[in-house]
Amino acid sequence: MKGNAIQSRHRFSVALLLAAFVLLMSAEYAAAKVNGAIYMYNLSDFTGVIPYNWSALSVDKERNEIYVIYKNEVEVFNEKGMKIYSFGDDENLRGVIADVTVGRDGTIFLLLSEGDIYSVVRCNYRGEPVAPIDFRNFPGQFSKFLPGRIIYRNGDLYLADLVFSKKVVITDSDGVYKDGYELDSILALKDIEGKPGQEKEIAGFSLDRDGNMLFTVPTIFKAFKVSSDRKVQMFGEAGNIPGKFSVVAGITSDDAGNYYVTDTLKSVVMVYDRDFNFIFEFGYRGDQPGNLIAPRNMVVNDGYLYVSQSRKRGVSVYRILQD
């Protein structure tokens, strides 16, 4: 009887600790609203700031590293914003490097394109090619597909063709088809009025912490969130005042569920809470540290936001302030 009483008390204590942990995590999630962003530095090497021009970005959250894709090379930066190595000039790689993503175990997946052909090469942690991925079991409607983006998430690869077919395909890490999304239909782009004579091109693409897909479509002044079961939410409206969309580009989110959207024309990053309510914007065109010139791509990692921009202004890094 004494032993049973001790076990009951132990279970009760564990249950209390778990309940307290859940409450703490919920409170942290609910309260983690962004209330500011402080410019910290630009990505650099030992010679100084690297003058990238609209570079593509990726993040390896497991190793706290930022990947920059620029001029057919991939350059890797540590959490201090210093370049630590680069790869991509291997003679065995055929095509132009379009994007890169990193698996949980450090495997690097390199997306390459050559004309209307694409391939994904599995590389080791140093970026040395190991083997191409054999994509298979794609349904017919996804056979004509030219992805320009790739994201690894929980053992799966998300391949996004935002320009030609406007489709996203999910495979496992060995290339076996799992699911596909036809964005024209899912986003109902034909039903949304846009600028006369302009294509409804998709500009931004990323995944939030729950695996929802995020997109921006500049010509209709909208951002979209698409769940795995194809439920669509959208936000944004045209305008030049803070919080309105002019020419939007990149979109990303942090682990607290806040959303970040770049506006290339306004030269700002706009921040929205998890319910798509506008919070504030920062950057603005200028030559001072912290200003932005036509920002485009972004990634978030460990409380920092990385923003690529034009006019050889490189990649600016901001610390995100939260309640």
Side-chain angles (χ1 to χ4, degrees):
M1 293 293 290
K2 185 177 180 181
N4 289 338
I6 292 173
Q7 286 183 353
S8 296
R9 285 199 297 272
H10 177 68
R11 292 194 193 98
F12 181 70
S13 299
V14 170
L16 278 178
L17 285 171
L18 285 173
F21 176 74
V22 170
L23 284 173
L24 180 63
M25 293 302 291
S26 300
E28 182 182 353
Y29 186 90
K33 183 177 179 180
V34 177
N35 57 28
I38 299 176
Y39 169 76
M40 302 299 291
Y41 46 77
N42 276 45
L43 297 185
S44 305
D45 60 14
F46 68 93
T47 65
V49 171
I50 302 176
Y52 296 120
N53 196 40
W54 276 341
S55 59
L57 301 173
S58 184
V59 57
D60 177 3
K61 290 180 178 289
E62 295 291 329
R63 280 149 288 274
N64 223 11
E65 293 176 341
I66 302 299
Y67 284 55
V68 176
I69 303 98
Y70 194 66
K71 292 186 176 179
N72 214 33
E73 280 204 349
V74 180
E75 301 189 329
V76 186
F77 296 81
N78 63 17
E79 72 278 10
K80 303 295 184 185
M82 289 299 297
K83 179 180 169 182
I84 50 179
Y85 72 99
S86 64
F87 62 90
D89 56 353
D90 192 296
E91 61 182 12
N92 295 314
L93 294 174
R94 298 192 59 183
V96 176
I97 298 173
D99 203 2
V100 64
T101 190
V102 185
R104 183 169 295 174
D105 64 354
T107 297
I108 296 172
F109 299 91
L110 208 54
L111 173 62
L112 301 149
S113 63
E114 188 175 19
D116 58 355
I117 299 173
Y118 74 95
S119 61
V120 174
V121 177
R122 191 191 308 269
C123 302
N124 63 19
Y125 72 99
R126 296 185 59 82
E128 297 164 343
V130 175
I133 291 184
D134 177 21
F135 289 107
R136 52 200 185 277
N137 300 344
F138 278 36
Q141 66 267 35
F142 293 101
S143 58
K144 292 184 179 180
F145 183 66
L146 187 60
R149 296 292 313 280
I150 184 171
I151 298 177
Y152 173 95
R153 180 64 60 87
N154 298 329
D156 292 334
L157 294 174
Y158 289 69
L159 294 158
D161 176 357
L162 307 178
V163 178
F164 301 105
S165 68
K166 296 178 184 172
K167 296 175 182 176
V168 174
V169 167
I170 303 174
T171 75
D172 66 17
S173 58
D174 291 322
V176 178
Y177 176 89
K178 295 182 71 173
D179 203 354
Y181 295 78
E182 297 185 85
L183 300 177
D184 256 334
S185 171
I186 292 172
L187 303 182
L189 293 179
K190 294 178 181 176
D191 300 332
I192 302 175
E193 187 176 351
K195 291 182 177 178
Q198 289 193 352
E199 286 290 325
K200 294 169 183 173
E201 296 178 348
I202 301 173
F205 170 65
S206 67
L207 301 179
D208 69 12
R209 70 170 203 166
D210 298 319
N212 300 304
M213 292 183 284
L214 308 175
F215 304 95
T216 58
V217 183
T219 53
I220 57 173
F221 312 102
K222 296 294 180 189
F224 296 86
K225 173 182 174 181
V226 181
S227 65
S228 59
D229 58 358
R230 294 166 172 72
K231 291 180 180 175
V232 178
Q233 296 174 277
M234 65 179 178
F235 65 100
E237 56 183 305
N240 290 318
I241 64 174
K244 305 296 184 184
F245 286 10
S246 186
V247 180
V248 291
I251 183 169
T252 190
S253 64
D254 60 29
D255 289 340
N258 301 296
Y259 300 96
Y260 305 80
V261 178
T262 54
D263 193 305
T264 303
L265 186 59
K266 292 165 59 180
S267 289
V268 298
V269 175
M270 297 176 286
V271 187
Y272 301 82
D273 67 16
R274 55 191 298 188
D275 298 316
F276 312 127
N277 298 308
F278 174 68
I279 305 175
F280 72 103
E281 64 185 27
F282 64 93
Y284 301 107
R285 182 177 296 273
D287 296 325
Q288 297 300 311
N291 285 143
L292 292 167
I293 301 292
R296 181 174 287 184
N297 302 306
M298 294 177 293
V299 292
V300 173
N301 184 50
D302 197 28
Y304 290 84
L305 180 71
Y306 299 76
V307 187
S308 73
Q309 53 192 312
S310 70
R311 221 182 303 157
K312 298 184 178 180
R313 289 288 298 269
V315 177
S316 294
V317 185
Y318 299 83
R319 184 161 66 90
I320 300 168
L321 305 179
Q322 296 182 332
D323 293 335

